[in-house]
Amino acid sequence: MPPTVAHTLRREWFLTAGETDARALMPVTLIAARAIETATLHANALGIGYSNLAEHRLGWVLARMTIEVERYPAINETYAMETWIEGYNRYFSDRCYIMTDAAGRPLAHIRSVWVAIDMHTRRLADLSELERDAFPTLDRACPVARSPKPAAAGGDCERAEYTFRYCDIDFNRHVNTIRYLDLVLNLRPLDFYDTHDITRLDATFDHECYFGERVDLVTAPDRRDPATRVTEIRRPDGTRAVAVALRYTIHDA
């Protein structure tokens, strides 16, 4: 690895009106999108980005993401995100992030797990064929602990269904990661978000979904935390494609 390659990457943004939610705040989906963007830029700088992996018929896929929010940036506010690789093995790469305001105060902490897949077979790939020094790990604390996969409780569930459309699909011709999150957040009415904040998001991406595919959305309390609601996005055969757990708190008036 060249000595000029940084172990971290930091990027700064300005929150525009068109990016905010109905309360003029940054939505949690944009936090997730910025994390993916920052990870992509860092991977490119390290020589393990999309074009580099494509030479090995590989591609990065987000497997898990946890976001813990302390405060959401407001319209016209400047914020930054920094990312680093915490660790990796043959199949997984653990990446962490911190989002800060203009004064450097923490806004959110994020932990993610990325896997490489064979772009032809769409199966899990072995990262050992990549240059080991391309993964410069950093011994830096991340306050977001590793957590088990979201698990919905049995009993009464809220149910809905959805068919994926053109605007849900990305360049890989599967459903874009953020569109899964949009879909789950849209299950709640506007007046709910007028009084509640999402303080933690846990998402697990198990299987890809595609254009025209109909899915069932099943929502119930988390088995380990009744205050958290889990939505499982299931294919017609019952296979879980995605699970999203959201912890809500009533915000100050």
Side-chain angles (χ1 to χ4, degrees), residues 34-177:
R34 292 301 190 219
I36 294 171
E37 180 180 347
T38 307
T40 300
L41 292 172
H42 194 208
N44 288 342
L46 294 172
I48 52 173
Y50 172 80
S51 58
N52 307 99
L53 264 67
E55 296 176 2
H56 302 270
R57 300 196 323 173
L58 305 179
W60 287 115
V61 172
L62 180 62
R64 299 185 64 181
M65 177 175 281
T66 298
I67 301 173
E68 290 188 350
V69 182
E70 296 187 24
R71 180 179 73 81
Y72 286 95
I75 188 172
N76 293 336
E77 187 171 350
T78 297
Y79 64 96
M81 188 173 289
E82 185 177 8
T83 185
W84 64 97
I85 299 173
E86 184 183 66
Y88 77 98
N89 58 32
R90 290 177 59 189
Y91 300 109
F92 301 95
S93 175
D94 293 286
R95 179 178 283 279
C96 300
Y97 318 72
I98 182 172
M99 190 171 80
T100 54
D101 64 13
R105 294 179 294 252
L107 294 168
H109 298 276
I110 305 164
R111 175 180 291 278
S112 63
V113 178
W114 295 78
V115 300
I117 63 169
D118 185 301
M119 298 301 290
H120 290 197
T121 66
R122 311 303 293 181
R123 295 181 182 275
L124 198 65
D126 191 336
L127 289 170
S128 60
E129 62 182 284
L130 299 178
E131 178 61 44
R132 186 178 183 85
D133 288 342
F135 292 84
T137 59
L138 190 64
D139 184 15
R140 177 175 174 178
C142 178
V144 180
R146 294 182 179 86
S147 60
K149 290 184 178 183
D156 292 338
C157 300
E158 300 172 14
R159 297 180 179 272
E161 59 180 52
Y162 182 79
T163 300
F164 290 112
R165 300 173 174 87
Y166 168 74
C167 288
D168 298 319
I169 309 304
D170 63 18
F171 77 101
N172 282 315
R173 302 186 75 87
H174 62 196
V175 176
N176 181 272
T177 302

Side-chain angles (χ1 to χ4, degrees), residues 173-193:
R173 302 186 75 87
H174 62 196
V175 176
N176 181 272
T177 302
I178 304 304
R179 291 298 296 131
Y180 292 119
L181 304 182
D182 289 337
L183 187 55
V184 173
L185 266 64
N186 282 338
L187 294 173
R188 295 279 186 172
L190 179 60
D191 57 3
F192 178 84
Y193 289 107

